[in-house]
Amino acid sequence: MKPASWHEDARGVPRSPEYGDFYHGEAGALPQARHVFLGGNGLPGRWRGRSAFTIAETGFGLGHNFLAAWRAWLDDPGRSGRLHYLAFEAHPFAVDDLLRAWSRLPDDHRSLARELAGRWPALLPGVHRLDLQEGRVTLTLLFGDIRRLARQAEARVDAFFLDGFAPRVNPDMWSPAVFGQLRRLAVAGATAATWCSAGQVRRDLRDAGFLVERVPGIAGKRDMTVAVLRPGLGAAPPDPARLRVAVVGGGLAGAGVAQALARRGHEVEVWDPQCALDVDPALRRRGAAALVPALSPDDDTRSRLSRAGLARARARWLELDEAARPRACGALVCAQSEAQAGTQRQALARLGFPEDWVRWLDPAGAGLRAGVGVPWGGLWFPDALRVCPGELIAALLSLPGVTRRAAAVGALAPADGGGWSLRDASGRELGRADGVVLANALHARTLLADVVPVERLPVLSGLTPLAGQVSLYPAGASGLPRCVLSGHGYCLPPQNGWGVVGSTYRPDAVETVADEAGHQEILARVRGWVDARDIPWLGRGEAVGWAGWRAATRDHLPLIGAVPDRPGLWLACAYGSRGLSWSALAGDLIGAWMDGEPVPAERELVRRIGLR
């Protein structure tokens, strides 16, 4: 992906040297946005009285159309409950260039622009979801070639802003293939508008299923184009309702789902025998874990999903109260040999990711960053997080809209009149819900067996239990290492007086135990790629162990999605050793599907973590 670079002509109008065209017409960005895109789509009138309204734009550019729509939505007393905005952009700007463009906006738009700038993502390919206006406005950005990403988007769109450079210099954006994908996203009655009045564009829109007409343009442009989807085409617009949702499982998976659904206004009940949260706070603060994105030379599914997972975790969790808030200490993914160091450097060169998201550090630079010796250097991820899972889970399960039920769900059954009945092991009904999310790892397979023939979900047959342990050492006042160290195992910065290293993987274990053999195995792992002499607490003093089970699939991807042919039943499990990576992302995926929002992940990634 090639980011945009700032250029302007003698009049101060932003111009793209890549396409030899301007980012807005002579009328100015905001007047064009109001006349062409808002007026051409019948806005603000069409969003009035709606619970949610979704706009899609084919070229985000400098964001003026989005800011104009956001401002118009705020200024309308009859506005929809939520505004969702989906936008494609092949060449996104860095935030400093956007701020330069936005400095010329009126005051009421600049305040919105500042909020947007504070959440602007790293310039990485894929889908980025930004929550604005306390979640009432969402911006879902798709960075990359629209010819591919139009096929990857999932949304239910009410209005299209067809913008971008002129068809003569950027024909791919105005192609029949792109218009066909927009037709796939359109709901019944969807409209479209563009400043472009080229005959071929109008004909291709008609062929895609739209009724097209020319109307007066703006500032010297005689015509512009407006369109409406033909009657009988398009799905019904979503109408999100407040649902009662049962989340089975009160660990990281269930807590992430509970937060996402409660933020959307749903009534969430989390069912787990441990949900009383009466754990000694000192014990709850003792543990630690890390959220570090994966990176592969071919940017595989796990890498792309973990990147999205880190972004959603930062968006959801960095605003929690201090005790539960993750620490953005960064992570060094340490090379395990000179050969692997070369592989890491080659991967970075091939991927071309921005250095503010990941960069290579040689042994000297890595040692300065970590405060300890790192023999072969490694990849530095400044956005990586260190998390106290106990405090995080406790905070997420204590949010408004979340109720804890300290009971074990032993069976599920369709309820009379719709929804689901939750029952204990003896068959006694514990409660009812409109929807159920199974976030209880290996036990999800047992509950599903009551309502779905196992042979219809072959992916569950590969669900494997993995035992493992971590070691905790008294660290005193030590602050080393200064960041997360990840390699063949991991070593975390001390927190609340404890340092954490891990972990073991025991696929054939019959029980989970923390033992001395496990402590020694972990130490041997870490000492192979970090100078342990620089960490005063590592391997010294009496180690405290924690052991538990992981549930993993054969491809080490999570299972997140709707259970086929069982309306209102969802799965969020098989997180393996990446519970923090998938937690917030799974919650927002399920929330988006429930409410008909733009989905914060590409369709091909969603298919790979689904149940079919």
Side-chain angles (χ1 to χ4, degrees):
M1 189 183 70
K2 183 179 179 181
S5 56
W6 180 267
H7 292 270
E8 58 184 49
D9 69 2
R11 301 167 298 166
V13 178
R15 181 178 181 275
S16 168
E18 183 91 8
Y19 295 94
D21 202 356
F22 294 96
Y23 277 92
H24 56 76
E26 295 180 8
L30 293 183
Q32 178 175 285
R34 296 184 191 110
H35 179 87
V36 175
F37 298 111
L38 292 173
N41 280 285
L43 300 173
R46 289 183 54 233
W47 62 41
R48 289 176 182 155
R50 295 276 300 275
S51 56
F53 193 87
T54 300
I55 296 170
E57 182 180 16
T58 53
F60 187 80
L62 291 165
H64 290 117
N65 295 335
F66 169 66
L67 292 172
W70 183 5
R71 183 73 264 167
W73 181 83
L74 279 176
D75 290 342
D76 183 9
R79 60 181 173 266
S80 57
R82 293 177 185 266
L83 177 66
H84 301 298
Y85 199 101
L86 179 80
F88 300 88
E89 181 53 58
H91 306 290
F93 278 100
V95 70
D96 289 343
D97 288 331
L98 290 174
L99 287 170
R100 180 187 306 187
W102 295 339
S103 67
R104 306 168 183 175
L105 292 171
D107 289 345
D108 60 346
H109 286 69
R110 278 207 304 271
S111 63
L112 305 182
R114 284 192 294 270
E115 183 176 349
L116 176 55
R119 288 170 169 75
W120 192 247
L123 303 187
L124 293 160
V127 181
H128 306 265
R129 171 164 167 154
L130 284 61
D131 299 295
L132 305 161
Q133 206 75 44
E134 298 180 337
R136 292 180 295 143
V137 175
T138 69
L139 172 60
T140 304
L141 295 163
L142 294 95
F143 286 167
D145 190 330
I146 193 172
R147 291 173 296 179
R148 187 185 80 83
L149 287 176
R151 299 193 303 270
Q152 298 300 328
E154 184 179 345
R156 294 163 73 178
V157 178
D158 297 286
F160 293 96
F161 293 2
L162 305 182
D163 202 4
F165 300 118
R168 60 181 172 78
V169 297
N170 190 18
D172 292 335
M173 181 171 283
W174 305 89
S175 68
V178 169
F179 289 161
Q181 292 301 320
L182 301 187
R183 151 70 183 84
R184 175 181 63 82
L185 299 173
V187 301
T191 60
T194 177
W195 50 266
C196 179
S197 58
Q200 189 62 53
V201 168
R202 296 198 309 274
R203 288 189 290 274
D204 289 341
L205 274 173
R206 288 191 187 103
D207 290 344
F210 290 86
L211 301 174
V212 182
E213 64 177 312
R214 286 187 293 185
V215 297
I218 184 175
K221 273 195 67 67
R222 185 178 63 184
D223 298 319
M224 56 178 261
T225 301
V226 297
V228 61
L229 193 66
R230 287 190 185 122
L233 298 180
D239 186 19
R242 179 182 170 90
L243 301 176
R244 185 175 184 179
V245 182
V247 177
V248 182
L252 278 171
V257 171
Q259 182 194 28
L261 299 185
R263 282 177 61 96
R264 288 168 168 81
H266 298 297
E267 181 184 350
V268 181
E269 293 183 331
V270 178
W271 294 82
D272 192 303
Q274 305 302 317
C275 266
L277 294 180
D278 54 358
V279 178
D280 183 340
L283 294 176
R284 205 164 62 210
R285 290 193 296 268
R286 183 180 288 179
L291 201 171
V292 182
L295 186 143
S296 65
D298 59 350
D299 201 25
D300 63 10
T301 298
R302 189 169 66 104
S303 298
R304 292 156 66 189
L305 281 171
S306 71
R307 200 157 67 229
L310 173 59
R312 295 317 302 149
R314 290 179 63 89
R316 289 292 187 225
W317 299 343
L318 288 185
E319 296 179 358
L320 295 172
D321 291 340
E322 184 175 358
R325 187 185 311 141
R327 178 186 167 198
C329 63
L332 191 66
V333 177
C334 303
Q336 306 295 283
S337 65
E338 189 63 43
Q340 192 185 55
T343 300
Q344 287 183 338
R345 292 194 298 271
Q346 291 169 8
L348 280 192
R350 182 179 188 277
L351 294 169
F353 289 166
E355 288 197 350
D356 60 354
W357 192 78
V358 60
R359 66 180 182 273
W360 164 258
L361 295 180
D362 62 17
L368 286 174
R369 179 68 66 178
V372 303
V374 179
W376 300 288
L379 299 173
W380 170 244
F381 293 91
D383 285 350
L385 303 174
R386 185 197 64 190
V387 181
C388 179
E391 291 287 359
L392 175 66
I393 292 169
L396 297 181
L397 297 186
S398 300
L399 291 171
V402 178
T403 302
R404 301 184 299 275
R405 304 293 187 195
V409 176
L412 294 175
D416 295 337
W420 292 90
S421 170
L422 288 76
R423 301 175 181 180
D424 65 15
S426 67
R428 180 177 62 89
E429 186 169 83
L430 299 170
R432 293 192 176 196
D434 301 307
V436 175
V437 181
L438 299 180
N440 54 339
L442 289 166
H443 300 294
R445 184 167 55 190
T446 303
L447 290 181
L448 277 177
D450 293 332
V451 293
V452 182
V454 176
E455 60 272 15
R456 290 177 56 188
L457 300 174
V459 68
L460 292 178
S461 65
L463 205 56
T464 303
L466 294 173
Q469 83 173 67
V470 299
S471 302
L472 296 86
Y473 291 92
S478 173
L480 296 175
R482 299 190 188 112
C483 63
V484 172
L485 298 178
S486 176
H488 190 49
Y490 57 83
C491 181
L492 306 184
Q495 178 172 296
N496 300 318
W498 291 88
V500 176
V501 288
S503 61
T504 63
Y505 289 83
R506 296 176 175 173
D508 299 320
V510 295
E511 61 178 344
T512 58
V513 293
D515 53 25
E516 184 59 28
H519 294 314
Q520 293 305 314
E521 180 184 342
I522 291 168
L523 284 175
R525 284 174 180 257
V526 174
R527 284 170 172 162
W529 49 270
V530 66
D531 192 338
R533 295 170 298 180
D534 293 338
I535 304 176
W537 52 266
L538 184 60
R540 299 167 195 175
E542 185 175 352
V544 175
W546 180 90
W549 291 103
R550 309 175 184 94
T553 58
R554 292 190 180 98
D555 58 9
H556 299 286
L557 294 176
L559 295 177
I560 303 167
V563 176
D565 305 319
R566 295 296 183 270
L569 187 57
W570 307 81
L571 204 61
C573 68
Y575 289 9
S577 58
R578 288 193 169 269
L580 290 169
S581 293
W582 314 137
S583 176
L585 175 63
D588 276 332
L589 285 171
I590 292 173
W593 288 321
M594 281 188 178
D595 287 3
E597 302 171 2
V599 175
E602 294 158 78
R603 292 171 76 207
E604 65 184 10
L605 300 182
V606 166
R607 283 195 296 270
R608 290 170 190 164
I609 60 176
L611 273 71
R612 290 192 183 275

